Amino acid sequence: MSDVQQPTDGSGAAAGRKMGTVTQVIGPVIDVQFDPKELPEILTALRIDHEPSDGETGAPVHLTAEIQQHLGRNQVRAVAMSSTDGVVRGMKVTDTGAPISVPVGMETLGRIFNLLGEPIDQLGPVETEERRPIHQEPPAFPELEPKTELFETGIKAWSSSTTSPRSTAATRFSRGSASGLARGTICGSR
């Protein structure tokens, strides 16, 4: 989640971080067991970073998962934010101690990010002063105003259907007769 290298305690785990073990993998769902007094909170991000050692086969695994449920028996259920290919029982999992967060600010306008806040538009890193969790409390009801206003996203519209270098399909914006703006989304994957 961070470009900053974390200090380790010799075991490969970031110093001071809670460690768990994968107990089950079913598609994008991962069950992880922690020590009894180190169970992370729901919506906390978990990291699996596994490099095959000498004699091991398989590709390196680097993924982030988000805790969705406490199962009991000191286990949590998390949903992976990328492919779980290569994740097996017994792999070590690091509790980041924080939710998944994304960069916010004027620097992000016009850029394309994945769910983890990593830029995928091949324009380099984004330097922002603030990151916010992807789960936020909604505004209080009295703060809401029933008026029409421009919602600025910074996303530009392409004039025709295209595909980016990362195989992300972007469909064109077109106006239909009675349907208004049709096919006006960008389909992202990673």
Side-chain angles (χ1 to χ4, degrees), residues 5-186:
Q5 187 71 8
Q6 297 290 334
T8 63
D9 59 6
S11 67
R17 301 287 174 114
K18 300 173 190 172
M19 295 297 294
T21 306
V22 174
T23 58
Q24 178 174 266
V25 182
I26 302 174
V29 178
I30 302 170
D31 291 351
V32 181
Q33 185 167 1
F34 287 90
D35 286 337
K37 296 188 181 205
E38 295 188 344
L39 201 63
E41 294 181 23
I42 292 177
L43 301 182
T44 299
L46 303 176
R47 285 287 303 166
I48 299 176
D49 292 301
H50 176 77
E51 295 286 338
S53 59
D54 294 336
E56 271 188 331
T57 59
V61 175
H62 301 285
L63 70 85
T64 300
E66 182 180 64
I67 297 174
Q68 298 296 312
Q69 181 180 15
H70 288 150
L71 299 174
R73 303 178 318 274
N74 305 318
Q75 292 185 4
V76 296
R77 180 157 288 162
V79 176
M81 299 296 126
S82 60
S83 173
T84 57
D85 290 347
V87 177
V88 296
R89 285 182 294 172
M91 278 189 174
K92 295 297 179 194
V93 179
T94 305
D95 170 18
T96 64
I100 295 172
S101 64
V102 295
V104 294
M106 295 302 292
E107 301 87 357
T108 62
L109 293 179
R111 301 294 304 270
I112 302 174
F113 299 88
N114 65 13
L115 180 66
L116 302 175
E118 301 162 342
I120 59 171
D121 54 10
Q122 298 180 344
L123 297 176
V126 176
E127 301 296 329
T128 61
E129 294 181 15
E130 184 179 3
R131 290 181 71 91
R132 290 189 190 164
I134 60 172
H135 298 285
Q136 295 280 314
E137 289 294 321
F141 189 73
E143 294 175 14
L144 300 176
E145 294 183 30
K147 67 178 184 179
T148 303
E149 58 185 7
L150 181 65
F151 179 64
E152 186 174 356
T153 63
I155 297 175
K156 295 181 175 74
W158 283 280
S159 62
S160 63
S161 235
T162 184
T163 304
S164 80
R166 289 191 177 262
S167 299
T168 301
T171 59
R172 69 175 167 228
F173 288 79
S174 60
R175 291 204 173 265
S177 57
S179 62
L181 188 61
R183 296 177 55 202
T185 60
I186 295 179

